[in-house]
Amino acid sequence: MSPDAALSTDLRSLFRDSEARAARLKLLIEVNRDLAAADGGDLDAAIERAARRAALFAGYGRGALFGPEAADPEGGLVIPMQTLAERGRPGVRLVFTAPLNPAALSGADDAEALRLLVEMIEARLTVDLQRRREADLLGRLAQREKDLEQVLSSVVTAQEGERAAISADLHDGVAQQVAALHRRLELLRLDLDGKAEPGAAHDLDALIGMARQAVSDLRGVISGLRPTSLDDLGVVAALSEAARRLEDAGHAVTVIDRLPDRLPDWQETLLFRIGQEALTNVAKHAPGASVCLELALSESRDAVVLSVENAGGEPRGASAEATPRFGLEIMRERLAAVAGRLEAGETARGFRIRAIVPAAGRR
């Protein structure tokens, strides 16, 4: 063979090799793009297309993904998916059938290209498996949070049901009797006007005053057990009502509402009880203090924050320290039941508590 003929043969061989490399590269790029773009219901079709193209590249007419329940056909090429097996999905494999060209894989480059095709398919399946597991985990977590919220709602509802029953019993029983006693004493005082001894009249007036105070105290207890405003208007309205009673006792109270809308019933009830306890502590242990009560979402919007801060007022004596701690423990126990927390401590001018309640579905 002449030198020119040999050179021509070498050039043709290099050209064929270059074309083969370009074809392999194009195939790999197209399959990779197709798999990367597929999602959801399109993924099965993309895997099917990739398996068929890999089979044709290897010299087979058909290629498919087989699961662990399917039997291998005779005369086919079986390629196990080892990475999927290691990730907990054993038995998945690529199966090529219907041989067309046994010599299609003519060298190491072709074998390497086929290996890359299989790895692409397996990698895409692995990613999908991980996403499915994450979606399943998130779904189960969401269901557990929903179940927990229902349990908490049931517990709070049961507690509030007991309070409502006690409130009704007090209203229909003791409160009516004390109110009737007050009225009878007033009528008796009118009947004895000018006839009774001065000392007896004084004692009767004192009894009337005690009865009147008992009626007022009972009404306050009944209202505190379950205010109608909590059900009708929400936690802000109920706490505003409690704040007005504190104002009647000589406190300046500011209520700030930064909530975008109503909260779930159990959450509003919990926050009302925490706020109610905080205001009661102010009335008992910080006479004359000014109070700022605020309800808002946290900066991350994953929790509801109730803040009650008092400033000024008379200093608390040492003997009063035990009761605030007891009140704080009650608040902590209520919040712990819903994975919430309480922050409490002295400030430069008074005392502040912050109750953080996870937003519905975010515990």
Side-chain angles (χ1 to χ4, degrees):
M1 179 182 296
S2 67
D4 291 341
L7 178 59
S8 177
T9 301
D10 290 342
L11 289 173
R12 283 196 297 271
S13 177
L14 289 171
F15 181 72
R16 285 195 297 271
D17 290 342
S18 177
E19 280 190 325
R21 283 195 296 271
R24 286 193 294 267
L25 182 59
K26 180 181 178 182
L27 174 63
L28 292 171
I29 291 174
E30 289 177 350
V31 170
N32 182 61
R33 285 177 176 172
D34 192 26
L35 290 174
D39 197 8
D42 297 334
L43 180 59
D44 291 340
I47 293 294
E48 183 180 344
R49 289 192 298 271
R52 185 168 61 250
R53 298 182 74 172
L56 290 171
F57 180 77
Y60 290 83
R62 291 190 295 273
L65 193 70
F66 277 40
E69 69 285 348
D72 294 334
E74 294 184 4
L77 175 62
V78 178
I79 304 176
M81 298 287 187
Q82 188 60 37
T83 301
L84 276 177
E86 294 171 357
R87 296 294 179 89
R89 192 180 174 189
V92 179
R93 58 222 185 269
L94 274 176
V95 178
F96 300 158
T97 55
L100 298 176
N101 181 11
L105 300 178
S106 58
D109 289 342
D110 287 341
E112 178 65 11
L114 178 60
R115 185 187 69 80
L116 290 174
L117 283 171
V118 174
E119 283 188 358
M120 287 179 184
I121 295 172
E122 187 171 22
R124 188 63 185 83
L125 288 170
T126 302
V127 170
D128 182 62
L129 175 63
Q130 185 65 27
R131 287 180 179 175
R132 289 175 185 269
R133 286 180 173 174
E134 290 176 355
D136 179 65
L137 181 61
L138 290 174
R140 284 188 285 140
L141 181 60
Q143 184 60 46
R144 287 183 181 181
E145 289 181 343
K146 184 178 179 180
D147 293 342
L148 178 58
E149 186 171 327
Q150 289 176 346
V151 170
L152 292 172
S153 178
S154 299
V155 170
V156 172
T157 299
Q159 292 174 341
E160 293 305 307
E162 292 177 359
R163 287 175 175 269
I166 294 172
S167 176
D169 289 342
L170 287 174
H171 180 273
D172 296 338
V174 177
Q176 297 292 342
Q177 293 173 6
V178 175
L181 174 62
H182 175 242
R183 183 60 180 161
R184 292 289 298 274
L185 288 171
E186 288 186 326
L187 292 175
L188 179 61
R189 182 69 177 85
L190 290 174
D191 290 341
L192 295 178
D193 188 25
K195 303 176 184 177
E197 297 280 339
H202 180 270
D203 291 342
L204 186 56
D205 287 339
L207 288 174
I208 291 172
M210 293 171 60
R212 184 184 299 112
Q213 185 61 45
V215 171
S216 177
D217 290 346
L218 275 170
R219 286 174 178 170
V221 170
I222 292 169
S223 176
L225 280 170
R226 185 68 186 181
T228 56
S229 58
L230 181 59
D231 296 318
D232 298 339
L233 302 175
V235 62
V236 176
L239 286 176
S240 296
E241 187 177 300
R244 284 192 292 273
R245 288 195 292 271
L246 192 61
E247 287 178 330
D248 293 340
H251 297 262
V253 185
T254 302
V255 177
I256 302 173
D257 176 18
R258 301 189 189 279
L259 295 177
D261 46 37
R262 290 286 299 269
L263 301 171
D265 290 343
W266 69 267
Q267 214 170 41
E268 291 201 329
T269 299
L270 174 64
L271 289 166
F272 171 72
R273 294 304 174 197
I274 299 294
Q276 185 184 45
E277 182 66 30
L279 294 177
T280 299
N281 280 346
V282 171
K284 289 180 179 178
H285 309 292
S290 61
V291 182
C292 180
L293 183 150
E294 181 178 353
L295 272 166
L297 293 178
S298 62
E299 291 184 3
S300 57
R301 304 184 70 83
D302 62 351
V304 182
V305 180
L306 167 65
S307 174
V308 180
E309 182 173 359
N310 64 271
E314 298 178 9
R316 293 179 300 175
S319 61
E321 291 296 328
T323 305
R325 285 200 295 269
F326 179 71
L328 293 177
E329 288 306 314
I330 293 175
M331 296 182 205
R332 285 196 177 94
E333 289 178 4
R334 288 181 181 273
L335 290 167
V338 297
R341 70 181 190 277
L342 182 75
E343 298 173 356
E346 302 283 347
T347 64
R349 298 184 57 205
F351 197 83
R352 177 176 59 202
I353 69 108
R354 290 181 78 246
I356 296 95
V357 181
R362 301 213 178 203
R363 282 170 301 281

